[in-house]
């Protein structure tokens, strides 16, 4: 621990002596936060989506329409089977697969 304290003390003395270094130490992190704050964008847009609807109820169609109208997803296809959905995901024609189970509408109406 003594070595670390010595290095910190030495660096603080050096920082006090060199005015250019002082500016660099304080301005560089501020610039990095500003630039990287705009560069790192976590928004999701136009992700290809495949929907396998096993229920075919009004509620499942509402859910599918909600995903289609979302700016985050781009409707790619409506596969007829899980195997077809899996092959679409493997091939890259869809990046997200949504499987709506057969009892989806009924389960929502019960709860």
């Amino acid at each position: 621990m003594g070595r670390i304290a010595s290095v910190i003390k030495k660096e603080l003395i050096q920082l006090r002596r060199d005015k250019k270094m002082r500016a660099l130490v304080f301005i560089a992190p501020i610039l990095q936060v500003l630039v990287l704050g705009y560069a790192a964008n976590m928004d999701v847009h136009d992700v290809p989506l495949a929907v396998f609807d096993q229920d075919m109820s009004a509620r499942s169609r509402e859910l599918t329409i909600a995903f289609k109208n979302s700016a985050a997803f781009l409707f790619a296809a409506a596969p007829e089977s899980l195997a077809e959905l899996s092959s679409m995901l493997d091939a890259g024609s869809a990046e997200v697969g949504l499987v709506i189970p057969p009892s989806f509408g009924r389960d929502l109406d019960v709860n």
Side-chain angles (χ1 to χ4, degrees):
M1 207 55 165
R3 287 183 182 185
I4 293 174
S6 299
V7 170
I8 291 172
K9 183 178 176 183
K10 177 190 77 84
E11 290 299 326
L12 288 174
I13 291 169
Q14 184 63 27
L15 188 62
R16 201 173 15 177
R17 271 194 237 158
D18 190 359
K19 291 184 189 222
K20 292 178 189 175
M21 178 70 92
R22 195 177 315 154
L24 184 68
V25 166
F26 291 112
I27 293 175
I30 293 170
L31 287 175
Q32 288 175 350
V33 167
L34 291 174
V35 170
L36 293 177
Y38 288 107
N41 187 355
M42 303 303 249
D43 292 342
V44 176
H45 291 286
D46 299 329
V47 177
L49 168 74
V51 179
F52 176 43
D53 188 357
Q54 297 174 331
D55 190 31
M56 295 296 189
S57 67
R59 300 301 280 284
S60 68
R61 284 191 296 276
E62 287 174 14
L63 179 65
T64 303
I65 289 169
F67 273 97
K68 283 181 181 180
N69 292 336
S70 170
F73 297 101
L74 182 64
F75 189 75
E80 299 292 324
S81 67
L82 282 174
E84 187 179 347
L85 175 63
S86 180
S87 66
M88 290 178 71
L89 292 171
D90 290 340
S93 57
E95 291 182 21
V96 176
L98 174 64
V99 178
I100 301 173
S103 60
F104 178 76
R106 185 180 62 229
D107 291 345
L108 282 180
D109 291 336
V110 169
N111 294 329

